Every structure is written in C-alpha cells, then in structure tokens.
Amino acid sequence: MATSLTNIYNFGNLRRFLKIVLTTIALLLIDFSSKAQQTQADSYTRYELLTPSSNAFRIIYDVSATTAGATYYWNTLRKGSEHKVDGVWDAFSGEALKWNIVNGKTAKENGLSNSMDDGEYLQIQLARPVPEEGESRIRIDKTYADAASYFQNDGSIVFSRTLGIKRNSIVLPQGYEVTHCNYPSQVQLTSEGQIKLSFMNDGPQVIPLEIKATPLPSTITTKKPASNGYTFDNTGSGRNKSKVRLGWEFDERAFQNREIVYFLQQPETHSFKLFHDYTETRTGMDRYLNIVRAGSKASDPSAVLLDTGEALKVETLKGEKITEKGIDISSPITSESEVIAIWYDPLKEGETKRLRITETYTDPNRYVLNEDELVWDRSFGRNRNVVILPPGWFLTTNSIPAVIDQTDDGLTALHFVNGRPDTIDVYIKAQRK
C-alpha cells in the first residue's frame, strides 16, 4: 500500500487511506466469495436406459444453483463413464446455455474451490448471476456409457449404480418388464409405453440402487391405454361398482418440485410463518392462487420470483372480490372464502417460473397450547415439508418419521419426505425448556 503512515493524520489523507483500505477489503471479500464452494438445491435426475448392448443411458438432470452472485455452475462428470453432453438450458427462459468441459484445475481457478485436480467438470455459464436468496435453474442433458453400471446378465438387463441425488427416476427400454428393484419405488407406464420407476431418498446415505428387467415376448406391445373419460367418485355406482379407481392417474412424486417450510410461532398465538416454493410451467399462466384453508387466517403475504429476485404483486381476496376477479377456486364461493393471488407476467412458450410465497397463518384448530404442551396436528400434501419449533421448546412427540436437526440459531427442525401420492397427518408435541 503506497500511502505513507506519516501522512494519514491529515484528514484528507486519512479519508483517502480509509477508502483504499475499505476497497482492498471489499475486493478480498469478492475474491473469497467467488472462490466459495458452490451450493445447490432441488436436484432431480431421470435415467433413460438405452439399447442394452450399448451400455449407455441418457441423463436429464434438473438442478438449481443457489450461491448468490455465482455466474457459473459446475456438474461433476463421474469417473469411469464415457460421457457426451447433449445440451444445457436455462429453465426460466428455455434458452440454451454456454458450456464446456474443464479439468479440476481450471474449475478451481474459475471459482469451484473444492474441485479435484484429476476430475472433469461440466462448466456452465449461467444466464444471469444467482439473485440474493434466489436461484438459477438449469437442465443438463447428457449421455453416459458405463458397462459397470448398465449391463446384460443371464438374459436380464441390470442397472446397478450408487445414486446420491435425493429424487430419481429410471426409464426401462421399450419392451422390458421390471423383475427386481431393491429400493421402494413408484412404477408408472409412460405415454410411450415404457416402464418408469421413481423414488425419493429420505435418508442421509447414498442409494446403492439395483434394478433388473427382462424382455417381454415379442408378441406383446406395451402401450398406455387411452383415457376413457371416466372419473372416480368413490360411490361404487355406475360403471365402477367395486370402487376400484379406474383410470386413476397420479403424478410422479419424485419429480414434483413443491416444498414448504413452517416456522412455528409461540403456540399461544396459534400462528406460524411459512414459505412455499412452486414452479409454474403452463404457457400463458399469469397467477398463482393460494386458497386459504377453512378455519385458518392468512396475513402478511408476499412473493418473490426466485429466478430474478423480483418482488411480485400480491392480493388477498375474500368473498365477492374473488368473483369480481374472475377467479375459479373449484368450490362454491362464500363470504368466508379467502384466496391469496400472486400475479406475474404470462409465461411464454418454453419458459417456467419458480415462485416463493411467504405468509403468516393463524389456525386455532390445528396449532394450540394444551396444558403447557405445544400441539401441532396438520396434514401435508406436498412431498417435502419442514417444521421448525419456536424458540424455547424441545420435541417430545412426532407421529410421522422425520429427519431431525437444528437450524443455525439452535431451533429444532423436522424434515418430512413423503414419496407416496397421498397426504400425511403430522402430529407433533413439544414442551418448554
């Protein structure tokens, strides 16, 4: 630093000296931030098994880069596999992103502090810097050839691979039936007539997944039946007297990308703050509607477009105001009906938007203080839910299995993962410390 310490007692020089110091510190902090280990969220992988003799499978990987200010994202290319990258897209705009394959040294120089020198990385230039408390969503399409992971054995095909991503699906080649799967999975028939298995990993370990499948007779052509318009009504009348859910369709649970975090306030208030994240994919859609549960009251709503950090317009509508806005809530509108409407620019073809909605709920029917015990009794429909206890309380009861940890400020957090297509009734009790 060129400024002489003997001159800084002059006020003007002191100001210039402090400016130099502060600028130097700022530059060091920026440099440190750019070298920080990258963070990510919402990872989902789809494996499409190709012709068995090729030992190859297509990988479609969705992930959100969450390191604020980051302009690159790095995807590790697994050793032992021959890889070909087919493309990378920005999920917000649908536009292709620039990418190249680099070694660990180059990745480290560009900001990936924990890269391995002998590793290979797909380095992706993001469409925009990751917003503060936002994210940059990308889709990677690549193909691996790996005879150790995908091979033929005694007339069967075997997919045997250790999977660290928490949400996954595997699509069998056309004309194959699944005979073995060592991890609890949903099974669905795709529109192309292929068997798809999917699962959510709710534990801390990687999954040593093994799937086996055999070819069906050549006379059999698997196809997904066309919808016949039947709607299940649970009456047991008409065409479906057995109450079998004919034509019932359910979404792939692992692919669903909705999550919610509840911050319980002191139980005397019956209140809890929450935020929930939602991805809109429908072209032309310009709103998100949150229908407030009967018996609950919502306040202080706000919403952010996570892709850009933009604050969105939010309205709380009740009774006839819902009708005036032309909003359909799929049930009769009464004076007690309440809707929180979040507005945004209509989606263009190829675009998607990720919203984070924040609000406070008051629900004396589901969250109470009973004889000095906190009691939470509420159903969850999403596949990923987190409940955080208020300050000064410790957990004593939890009905649905959850992963338990603590937040940075020492509050107990329960993480619920539901890989099934139904709701879970969560019952929690806590006592004061």
Side-chain angles (χ1 to χ4, degrees), residues 131-170:
E132 190 72 33
E133 298 185 4
E135 54 193 45
S136 182
R137 297 174 296 121
I138 58 178
R139 169 166 288 186
I140 300 169
D141 189 349
K142 58 186 178 181
T143 301
Y144 277 8
D146 186 352
S149 295
Y150 178 41
F151 54 91
Q152 301 179 78
N153 183 41
D154 292 335
S156 296
I157 58 171
V158 181
F159 183 69
S160 179
R161 193 169 178 85
T162 301
L163 302 182
I165 300 301
K166 297 298 184 182
R167 300 183 294 131
N168 302 272
S169 67
I170 299 88

Side-chain angles (χ1 to χ4, degrees), residues 87-91 93-99 124-127 139:
V88 184
W89 292 269
D90 174 51
S93 66
E95 297 177 354
L97 296 176
K98 296 179 180 179
W99 58 269
I124 300 162
Q125 184 173 337
L126 300 176
R139 169 166 288 186

Side-chain angles (χ1 to χ4, degrees), residues 409-421:
D409 47 1
L411 303 180
T412 299
L414 297 90
H415 303 257
F416 298 91
V417 174
N418 179 21
R420 308 180 323 191

Side-chain angles (χ1 to χ4, degrees), residues 88-109:
V88 184
W89 292 269
D90 174 51
F92 174 62
S93 66
E95 297 177 354
L97 296 176
K98 296 179 180 179
W99 58 269
N100 61 318
I101 295 175
V102 300
N103 58 31
K105 182 180 179 182
T106 300
K108 186 170 292 184
E109 289 173 350

Side-chain angles (χ1 to χ4, degrees), residues 4-271:
S4 171
L5 291 177
T6 58
N7 295 327
I8 66 172
Y9 295 102
N10 175 275
F11 183 71
N13 286 340
L14 178 59
R15 291 181 61 188
R16 286 190 289 272
F17 175 74
L18 291 175
K19 183 176 180 180
I20 293 171
V21 171
L22 293 173
T23 300
T24 302
I25 292 173
L27 290 173
L28 289 172
L29 289 174
I30 292 172
D31 183 67
F32 175 79
S33 175
S34 67
K35 299 286 192 258
Q37 183 174 339
Q38 75 175 3
T39 57
Q40 62 192 53
D42 300 327
S43 298
Y44 168 84
T45 307
R46 176 184 170 108
Y47 297 87
E48 298 179 357
L49 306 187
L50 305 181
T51 305
S53 59
S54 70
N55 303 116
F57 43 93
R58 181 187 183 190
I59 298 175
I60 299 175
Y61 180 45
D62 294 341
V63 64
S64 299
T66 58
T67 307
T71 55
Y72 287 104
Y73 176 81
W74 290 269
N75 174 234
T76 303
L77 300 174
R78 190 183 289 206
K79 294 180 181 179
S81 299
E82 297 179 20
H83 41 258
K84 177 173 74 75
V85 178
D86 299 300
V88 184
W89 292 269
D90 174 51
F92 174 62
S93 66
E95 297 177 354
L97 296 176
K98 296 179 180 179
W99 58 269
N100 61 318
I101 295 175
V102 300
N103 58 31
K105 182 180 179 182
T106 300
K108 186 170 292 184
E109 289 173 350
N110 289 338
L112 186 63
S113 62
N114 63 337
S115 64
M116 305 295 292
D117 288 345
D118 60 346
E120 267 196 310
Y121 299 87
L122 175 60
Q123 179 174 276
I124 300 162
Q125 184 173 337
L126 300 176
R128 66 199 68 78
V130 177
E132 190 72 33
E133 298 185 4
E135 54 193 45
S136 182
R137 297 174 296 121
I138 58 178
R139 169 166 288 186
I140 300 169
D141 189 349
K142 58 186 178 181
T143 301
Y144 277 8
D146 186 352
S149 295
Y150 178 41
F151 54 91
Q152 301 179 78
N153 183 41
D154 292 335
S156 296
I157 58 171
V158 181
F159 183 69
S160 179
R161 193 169 178 85
T162 301
L163 302 182
I165 300 301
K166 297 298 184 182
R167 300 183 294 131
N168 302 272
S169 67
I170 299 88
V171 182
L172 302 184
Q174 189 80 44
Y176 277 78
E177 65 164 324
V178 59
T179 59
H180 297 81
C181 179
N182 69 338
Y183 195 81
S185 300
Q186 286 185 319
V187 179
Q188 293 172 286
L189 193 62
T190 70
S191 57
E192 294 80 16
Q194 293 170 269
I195 302 295
K196 177 180 67 175
L197 301 96
S198 61
F199 65 88
M200 299 178 67
N201 174 9
D202 61 356
Q205 288 85 23
V206 298
I207 300 296
L209 183 70
E210 183 171 276
I211 293 174
K212 296 180 182 179
T214 57
L216 291 162
S218 58
T219 55
I220 295 178
T221 300
T222 54
K223 63 180 180 178
K224 189 168 185 176
S227 173
N228 60 10
Y230 173 78
T231 301
F232 174 70
D233 62 7
N234 200 32
T235 64
S237 62
R239 295 167 51 192
N240 190 10
K241 294 180 180 180
S242 67
K243 292 193 176 182
V244 172
R245 290 175 285 184
L246 298 178
W248 183 50
E249 293 282 352
F250 56 89
D251 292 331
E252 180 194 327
R253 195 65 161 165
F255 183 71
Q256 291 178 0
N257 197 13
R258 303 183 71 168
E259 54 189 317
I260 188 165
V261 180
Y262 299 90
F263 302 86
L264 305 190
Q265 306 303 293
Q266 294 300 326
E268 296 90 342
T269 68
H270 310 294
S271 297

Side-chain angles (χ1 to χ4, degrees), residues 252-386:
E252 180 194 327
R253 195 65 161 165
F255 183 71
Q256 291 178 0
N257 197 13
R258 303 183 71 168
E259 54 189 317
I260 188 165
V261 180
Y262 299 90
F263 302 86
L264 305 190
Q265 306 303 293
Q266 294 300 326
E268 296 90 342
T269 68
H270 310 294
S271 297
F272 45 93
K273 294 182 178 179
L274 62 85
F275 71 76
H276 51 105
D277 295 350
Y278 168 73
T279 302
E280 182 57 76
T281 61
R282 295 169 292 178
T283 300
M285 184 55 62
D286 65 350
R287 69 195 68 177
Y288 175 85
L289 303 177
N290 181 26
I291 301 173
V292 179
R293 294 192 194 189
S296 297
K297 179 181 178 182
S299 59
D300 303 322
S302 63
V304 172
L305 182 61
L306 288 175
D307 303 289
T308 63
E310 172 193 356
L312 300 177
K313 179 183 176 182
V314 179
E315 289 184 297
T316 300
L317 306 171
K318 293 195 68 174
E320 62 182 19
K321 295 294 184 182
I322 301 173
T323 305
E324 290 175 5
K325 287 283 186 178
I327 292 174
D328 179 12
I329 64 173
S330 302
S331 63
I333 297 174
T334 70
S335 60
E336 297 302 314
S337 299
E338 185 174 359
V339 173
I340 296 173
I342 294 98
W343 305 93
Y344 45 84
D345 293 335
L347 266 70
K348 299 177 183 177
E349 184 73 32
E351 288 184 342
T352 66
K353 293 186 178 183
R354 182 77 167 162
L355 314 178
R356 172 165 291 173
I357 298 98
T358 303
E359 53 203 328
T360 298
Y361 266 61
T362 301
D363 188 352
N365 296 310
R366 294 295 185 178
Y367 180 42
V368 301
L369 179 67
N370 180 51
E371 298 181 353
D372 291 329
E373 276 193 315
L374 176 158
V375 182
W376 168 274
D377 186 358
R378 192 175 176 90
S379 63
F380 292 162
R382 293 174 176 82
N383 57 6
R384 290 177 290 163
N385 307 265
V386 182

